[in-house]
């Protein structure tokens, strides 16, 4: 695996490692306040990035497009900003979480266009 597919799968492995360590830390401290942020880092940063990486591995032509690079940029921003925003929102303002949610949505829309474009 190489290129964009590798970048997606490597990102997923890094975010899942961080997310799991975060989960273990929550368990040790017996403080589960950050469970929603942990969950979204694992799901948006881990599961979704891995799924995207496997798609680009299966469809190399799609990985070569500018839209795929935009998709990676949006997905990476979303994977950082959304869980961070959810963590802030546990005790503070919701603005960062809202921005993060729209970044994640924008990444998914880029992927939707990619999949539809790739149909032929
Ligand atoms: C070493 C691996 C992991 C550990 C130690 C861990 C630990 C935890 C802990 C302690 C909680 C809070 C439970 C509670 O509130 O009673 C939690 C919640 C959760 N975790 Fe993990 N987790 C791990 C991996 C994952 C992965 C890989 C995913 C998803 C792909 C995930 C998704 C979730 C979800 C959805 C919740 C519920 C969040 C909520 O209630 O708001 N976790 N986890």
């Amino acid at each position: 695996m190489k290129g964009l597919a590798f970048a997606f799968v490597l990102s997923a492995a890094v975010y899942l490692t961080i997310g799991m360590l975060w989960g273990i830390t929550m368990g040790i401290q017996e403080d589960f306040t950050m469970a929603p942020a942990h969950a979204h880092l694992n799901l948006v940063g881990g599961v979704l990035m891995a799924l995207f990486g496997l798609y680009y591995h299966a469809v190399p032509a799609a990985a070569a497009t500018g839209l795929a690079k935009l998709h990676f940029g949006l997905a990476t921003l979303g994977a950082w900003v959304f869980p961070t925003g959810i963590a802030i929102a546990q005790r503070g303002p919701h603005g960062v979480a809202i921005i993060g949610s729209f970044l994640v949505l924008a990444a998914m829309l880029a992927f939707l266009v990619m999949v539809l474009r790739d149909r032929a």
Side-chain angles (χ1 to χ4, degrees), residues 2-105:
K2 56 187 176 163
L4 199 74
F6 176 73
F8 266 112
V9 173
L10 177 65
S11 299
V14 170
Y15 299 145
L16 277 169
T17 302
I18 297 168
M20 287 177 177
L21 288 171
W22 198 353
I24 291 169
T25 306
M26 283 194 303
I28 291 169
Q29 296 179 337
E30 295 186 31
D31 178 356
F32 307 115
T33 315
M34 291 297 159
H38 148 87
H40 283 80
L41 176 62
N42 281 328
L43 291 165
V44 174
V47 177
L48 279 186
M49 296 291 267
L51 190 68
F52 296 144
L54 293 178
Y55 172 81
Y56 288 115
H57 182 63
V59 189
T65 62
L67 182 59
K69 288 179 185 67
L70 175 68
H71 177 209
F72 181 76
L74 289 169
T76 298
L77 273 176
W80 282 90
V81 176
F82 194 27
T84 303
I86 292 171
I88 293 169
Q90 298 312 304
R91 295 195 182 100
H94 293 186
V96 179
I98 292 169
I99 292 167
S101 70
F102 279 101
L103 284 168
V104 171
L105 176 65

